[in-house]
């Protein structure tokens, strides 16, 4: 655990990146406001092409080290001092679809969207690449690119990592209440054992929940077929109908665990880290024996960034792939650090975190993490529809 | 000389019209256009083109009949519950509260000082396993040891009733408060007992409040999705939840738009029938 937390851990467990990102609240605010705006063509943003010393970065809330005393982002401050560039940091990437809806029209017209770096999740990054809305890195400007972990180096949507680099990795696995599950949860059968009936919550993130079910069914999720997928969705629908699964939720599952409404979940590593450190020994997390999923949020340069904007964005991305800088960020966010050498660098940043399985999964853990294959647009719609229907939507 | 006078009403109407045109009429037109679109062949997720596919409506409705039905059942239940709770409350405030009247009115409105979302999330804590309600009811053997209250239809209806209660209470209070107590006295003079006087005098005179209150509760309740999202389970989803999921998760804008229109039409029809039955004069 980090020695000093910028905001109270309790508040953070509520506001934690995932919570504000994937929680239902983002949807609530978005449906009214952003929804209509998106439908009407989105808001306009001013170009800053006149200023060549600026880099504008749109990221998820609470996803960068923050010092509540100085009200600044220490690593970002250092970047500005080192490079002489001005970084404008916006914590306004709240939801993949919502953000996409907001900027889509401008991307299509080639108008500046107001960002030089954005941070979409894998499957959304894949969509941007497909549509030609991203720019490839100039490798000479991003020498630290080689520091990306081998396990993350070749996703199907960007096999050479030419246009994306992982910002943080998110593991999904089983989380449980240790009093109700003294032996822990390591298989799908453990999850659906009688003491958890009606108190199981799974994630709204399709690729994580169905991915874990598929892996338990012995399916390779890097090659999953539609029949296999629908089969796993039916499995989930049946578990809902039979009263095993109480809900399909974003981060509110963390609240359900603390309130006792849930005793076992399919959840995210970062959230479970916070929960277990807050409630000493009451909760635990593990990657299923049959395998867990890992996904990532990616640093990416939109097609609309100017030449200068792109160069500055590359400098920023390169900076965050420095092992020491990456370790400083990881010590704050507690998600999987995608940078090689950050573990060694963590020795100086926060020695207690050097062996954190949450930040630096061991080889044994990492070998059990899989990335869900990217879907075609037609699959994306059809599969999402099946997954939504299974949860009553 | 008279020209400026002619213009005055138009000038007064202008801000309202301009606002409603921009933020109501235009989005409605946009929504109508979206609702008949179909995916572009070979296009990416979220790319649609106009093809006047009115079959979207049939598809949207038949696929989600269950959630539509649930929306109207839940909205009706919470409206009736709110009426049952609010009527005695408004009656007490209007006739029996004496010097506490203003304090009580402030208390009715007080929940509005905190966010709708926070209040709904608070309900989740109250009804949760480690709240005081569930263990209390269990020890009194009112509910079984395994029964839970969150993630149930009960929690959704309870949450909606609570959230819309002030919308029911305030119009009821306003119309009850206007009743001249002498009319009730007069009923007594004509040998009506308390119950008859209430039934024949108070209730008819408070009808405008009942109509306004039920409309203000029913309409938002039918379209609500926050309570079902936070307090419900996959088997208690309402049509609002489907629209949200269609829009954000499946990126199926046409179905989301068609569902919105269908919901709007259904509410409009029900409300029209209701007002016809109740009589428009009751609204004022």
């Amino acid at each position: 655990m980090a020695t000093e937390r910028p905001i109270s851990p309790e508040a953070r467990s509520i506001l934690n990146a995932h919570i504000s990102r994937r929680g239902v609240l983002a949807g609530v605010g978005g449906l009214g406001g952003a929804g209509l705006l998106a439908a009407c063509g989105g808001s306009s943003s001013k170009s800053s092409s006149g200023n060549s010393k600026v880099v504008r970065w749109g990221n998820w809330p609470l996803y960068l080290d923050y010092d509540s005393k100085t009200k600044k982002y220490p690593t970002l401050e250092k970047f500005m001092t080192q490079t002489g560039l001005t970084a404008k940091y916006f914590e306004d990437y709240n939801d993949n679809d919502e953000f996409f809806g907001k900027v889509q029209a401008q991307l299509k017209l080639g108008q500046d969207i107001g960002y030089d770096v954005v941070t979409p999740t894998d499957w959304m990054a894949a969509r941007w690449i497909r549509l030609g809305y991203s720019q490839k890195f100039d490798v000479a400007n991003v020498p630290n690119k080689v520091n990306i972990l081998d396990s993350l180096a070749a996703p199907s949507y960007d096999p050479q990592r030419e246009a994306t680099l992982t910002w943080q990795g998110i593991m999904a696995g089983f989380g449980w209440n240790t009093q109700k599950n003294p032996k822990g949860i390591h298989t799908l059968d453990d999850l659906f054992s009688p003491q958890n009936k009606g108190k199981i919550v799974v994630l709204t993130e399709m690729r994580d929940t169905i991915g874990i079910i598929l892996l338990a069914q012995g399916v390779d999720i890097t090659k999953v077929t539609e029949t296999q997928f629908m089969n796993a969705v039916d499995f989930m629908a049946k578990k809902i109908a039979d009263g095993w699964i109480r809900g399909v939720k974003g981060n509110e599952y963390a609240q359900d665990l603390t309130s006792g409404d849930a005793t076992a979940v399919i959840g995210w590593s970062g959230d479970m880290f916070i929960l277990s450190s807050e409630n000493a020994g009451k909760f635990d997390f593990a990657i299923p024996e049959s395998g867990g999923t890992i996904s990532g949020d990616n640093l990416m340069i939109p097609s609309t960034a100017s030449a200068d904007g792109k160069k500055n964005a590359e400098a920023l991305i390169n900076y965050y792939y420095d092992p020491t800088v990456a370790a400083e960020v990881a010590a704050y966010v507690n998600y999987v650090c995608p940078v090689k050498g950050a573990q060694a660098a963590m020795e100086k940043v926060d020695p207690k975190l050097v062996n954190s399985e949450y930040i630096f999964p061991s080889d044994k853990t990492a070998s059990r993490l899989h990335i869900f294959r990217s879907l075609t647009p037609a699959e994306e719609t059809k599969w999402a529809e099946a997954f939504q229907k299974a949860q009553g939507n | 000389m008279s020209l400026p006078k002619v213009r005055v009403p138009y000038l007064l109407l202008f801000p309202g019209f301009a606002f409603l045109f921009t933020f109501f009429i235009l989005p409605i037109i946009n929504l109508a256009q979206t609702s008949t679109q179909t995916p572009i062949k070979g296009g990416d997720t979220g790319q649609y083109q106009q093809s006047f596919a009115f079959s979207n409506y049939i598809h949207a409705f038949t696929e989600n009949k269950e959630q539509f039905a649930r929306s109207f059942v839940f909205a009706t239940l919470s409206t009736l519950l709110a009426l049952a709770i609010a009527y005695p409350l408004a009656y007490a405030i209007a006739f029996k509260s004496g010097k506490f009247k203003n304090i009580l009115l402030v208390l009715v409105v007080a929940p509005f000082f905190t966010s709708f979302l926070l209040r709904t999330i608070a309900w989740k804590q109250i009804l949760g396993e480690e709240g005081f309600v569930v263990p209390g009811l269990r020890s009194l053997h009112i509910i079984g040891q395994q029964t839970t209250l969150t993630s149930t239809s009960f929690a959704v209806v309870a949450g909606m009733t609570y959230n819309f209660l002030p919308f029911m209470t305030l119009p009821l209070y306003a119309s009850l408060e206007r009743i001249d107590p002498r009319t009730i006295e007069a009923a007594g003079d004509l040998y009506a007992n308390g119950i008859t006087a209430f039934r024949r005098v108070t209730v008819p005179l408070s009808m405008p409040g009942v109509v306004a209150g039920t409309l203000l509760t029913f309409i938002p309740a039918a379209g609500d999705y926050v309570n079902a999202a936070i307090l419900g389970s996959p088997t208690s989803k309402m049509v609002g939840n489907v629209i949200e999921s269609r829009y954000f998760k499946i990126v199926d804008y046409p179905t989301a738009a068609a569902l919105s229109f269908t919901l709007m039409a259904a509410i409009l029809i029900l409300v029209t029938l209701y007002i016809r039955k109740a009589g428009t004069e009751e609204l004022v």
Side-chain angles (χ1 to χ4, degrees):
Chain A
M1 243 187 97
T3 44
E4 190 183 280
R5 290 189 167 272
I7 57 173
S8 87
E10 205 173 56
R12 191 164 167 233
S13 75
I14 296 166
L15 292 169
N16 178 284
H18 266 110
I19 294 190
S20 33
R21 292 158 48 174
R22 291 177 179 138
V24 70
L25 304 193
V28 171
L31 192 67
L36 279 176
L37 278 180
C40 294
S43 53
S44 67
S45 55
K46 289 195 176 63
S47 167
S48 75
S49 50
N51 193 336
S52 60
K53 285 281 182 201
V54 173
V55 53
R56 303 158 301 168
W57 179 12
N59 198 2
W60 302 86
L62 296 167
Y63 218 21
L64 182 64
D65 54 315
Y66 182 71
D67 186 335
S68 61
K69 282 193 202 113
T70 58
K71 310 263 181 232
K72 284 183 170 138
Y73 302 95
T75 55
L76 205 58
E77 289 296 311
K78 258 185 266 171
F79 167 75
M80 292 196 269
T81 322
Q82 272 178 26
T83 57
L85 297 171
T86 305
K88 290 190 178 170
Y89 187 66
F90 306 99
E91 286 191 327
D92 57 1
Y93 199 105
N94 281 301
D95 179 283
N96 279 303
D97 281 309
E98 193 188 306
F99 190 88
F100 185 71
K102 200 172 76 174
V103 297
Q104 183 184 20
Q106 286 148 286
L107 284 167
K108 210 170 177 177
L109 297 169
Q111 289 170 354
D112 180 37
I113 60 166
Y115 305 91
D116 302 308
V117 183
V118 291
T119 323
T121 306
D122 292 327
W123 55 273
M124 182 53 82
R127 192 188 293 173
W128 284 55
I129 293 173
R130 263 188 340 245
L131 291 165
Y133 292 162
S134 65
Q135 294 193 52
K136 285 186 182 171
F137 302 130
D138 181 343
V139 184
N141 292 338
V142 195
N144 288 342
K145 186 176 167 248
V146 295
N147 291 343
I148 191 164
L149 289 181
D150 295 339
S151 57
L152 296 168
S156 56
Y157 58 87
D158 190 12
Q160 307 288 320
R161 284 285 182 195
E162 290 173 303
T164 59
L165 278 173
T166 307
W167 168 241
Q168 300 294 319
I170 302 146
M171 296 186 282
F174 297 135
W176 66 88
N177 178 320
T178 50
Q179 286 152 8
K180 306 279 179 185
N181 295 280
K183 287 182 190 155
I185 294 181
H186 302 281
T187 66
L188 210 55
D189 290 338
D190 292 346
L191 182 71
F192 293 107
S193 57
Q195 77 273 17
N196 296 324
K197 184 158 188 179
K199 298 200 165 178
I200 298 165
V201 174
V202 299
L203 293 168
T204 46
E205 198 70 21
M206 172 178 94
R207 289 159 180 82
D208 290 329
T209 295
I210 301 297
I212 282 173
I213 295 173
L214 282 167
L215 287 162
Q217 294 175 337
V219 175
D220 178 358
I221 60 168
T222 59
K223 294 190 183 89
V224 54
T225 66
E226 188 159 299
T227 321
Q228 290 168 333
F229 179 88
M230 295 302 170
N231 198 14
V233 169
D234 288 345
F235 174 85
M236 182 182 95
K238 184 150 193 328
K239 290 294 183 193
I240 290 172
D242 294 348
W244 284 92
I245 296 175
R246 169 189 205 84
V248 185
K249 304 192 179 185
N251 327 80
E252 311 97 272
Y253 72 86
Q255 210 186 359
D256 287 358
L257 278 172
T258 43
S259 73
D261 285 328
T263 54
V265 299
I266 292 181
W268 286 304
S269 54
D271 292 345
M272 292 309 301
F273 172 87
I274 307 270
L275 275 180
S276 54
S277 51
E278 282 319 300
N279 305 273
K282 202 178 165 192
F283 301 105
D284 208 348
F285 174 84
I287 301 299
E289 271 167 19
S290 49
T293 53
I294 183 160
S295 58
D297 293 322
N298 299 273
L299 298 165
M300 173 185 258
I301 304 172
S303 55
T304 52
S306 65
D308 283 329
K310 177 173 184 269
K311 209 170 85 209
N312 300 343
E314 286 164 345
L316 180 87
I317 293 169
N318 190 54
Y319 170 78
Y320 277 106
Y321 260 69
D322 176 274
T324 307
V325 178
E328 283 168 34
V329 174
Y332 176 89
V333 301
N334 286 304
Y335 278 105
V336 178
C337 180
V339 178
K340 274 185 203 164
Q343 192 160 16
M346 189 61 98
E347 202 72 63
K348 286 196 187 114
V349 176
D350 188 343
K352 288 194 297 299
L353 292 176
V354 173
N355 292 315
S356 165
E357 280 272 342
Y358 289 93
I359 302 175
F360 307 110
S362 60
D363 288 347
K364 194 169 155 254
T365 310
S367 68
R368 287 193 285 136
L369 296 170
H370 306 271
I371 300 179
F372 205 96
R373 84 163 163 89
S374 54
L375 305 176
T376 65
E379 283 172 338
E380 207 163 67
T381 310
K382 196 173 173 192
W383 297 22
E385 189 176 346
F387 181 65
Q388 290 297 318
K389 281 212 163 293
Q391 23 174 321
N393 286 324
Chain B
M1 285 301 278
S2 61
L3 260 182
K5 269 189 186 165
V6 172
R7 280 189 203 135
V8 168
Y10 292 103
L11 282 173
L12 290 174
L13 284 171
F14 181 75
F17 267 120
F19 190 85
L20 287 175
F21 182 78
T22 317
F23 294 104
F24 182 67
I25 306 289
L26 286 182
I28 288 276
I29 293 169
N30 189 291
L31 201 65
Q33 285 173 343
T34 309
S35 71
T36 53
Q37 291 179 347
T38 49
I40 296 174
K41 264 224 163 73
D44 210 298
T45 314
Q47 292 182 322
Y48 294 94
Q49 64 190 359
Q50 185 58 264
S51 52
F52 300 101
F54 289 97
S55 56
N56 282 354
Y57 280 87
I58 297 162
H59 174 77
F61 183 73
T62 49
E63 287 277 293
N64 302 289
K65 284 193 296 275
E66 209 182 299
Q67 288 90 341
F68 264 108
R70 206 175 281 134
S71 289
F72 288 103
V73 170
F74 284 7
T76 308
L77 281 176
S78 48
T79 306
L80 292 175
L81 273 171
L83 182 63
I85 298 168
Y87 204 98
L89 178 65
Y91 189 88
I93 298 174
F95 295 121
K96 313 281 180 198
S97 59
K99 62 180 176 176
F100 298 110
K101 189 182 267 187
N102 287 337
I103 294 174
L104 287 171
L105 277 175
V106 169
L107 286 176
V108 168
V109 185
F112 286 135
F113 299 157
T114 40
S115 136
F116 177 62
L117 281 176
L118 279 180
R119 284 182 277 133
T120 310
I121 291 168
W123 265 76
K124 207 170 126 164
Q125 301 290 350
I126 295 167
L127 297 177
E129 288 294 292
E130 291 179 5
F132 55 88
V133 177
V134 168
L137 291 176
R138 277 188 191 151
S139 62
L140 293 170
H141 295 283
I142 292 171
I143 59 170
Q145 294 307 308
Q146 294 306 313
T147 313
T148 54
L149 294 180
T150 50
S151 299
T152 59
S153 302
F154 167 80
V156 179
V157 174
M160 291 205 295
T161 306
Y162 160 75
N163 274 311
F164 297 117
L165 195 59
F167 295 104
M168 184 67 91
T169 313
L170 292 177
L172 276 175
Y173 164 77
S175 63
L176 284 167
E177 209 262 339
R178 271 193 303 192
I179 296 175
D180 188 338
R182 287 174 300 182
T183 55
I184 300 167
E185 278 168 33
D189 292 345
L190 295 167
Y191 299 103
N193 60 24
I195 294 167
T196 313
F198 175 76
R199 200 163 51 83
R200 302 290 294 272
V201 179
T202 314
V203 170
L205 286 175
S206 67
M207 274 316 279
V210 174
V211 174
T214 45
L215 286 179
L216 285 175
T217 306
F218 182 82
I219 297 172
D224 183 75
Y225 78 105
V226 174
N227 286 287
I230 296 176
L231 300 168
S233 74
T235 49
S236 63
K237 293 280 172 76
M238 295 169 66
V239 70
N241 304 93
V242 182
I243 296 174
E244 194 251 349
S245 126
R246 283 280 163 182
Y247 195 95
F248 282 115
K249 308 295 173 198
I250 309 176
V251 203
D252 179 359
Y253 305 135
T255 307
L259 282 169
S260 308
F261 257 99
T262 312
L263 176 66
M264 205 153 38
I267 292 177
L268 207 63
I269 292 168
L270 284 175
V271 167
T272 312
L273 290 175
Y274 180 64
I275 293 177
R276 280 241 176 132
K277 183 112 176 105
T280 33
E281 70 275 12
E282 302 286 16
L283 274 175
V284 283

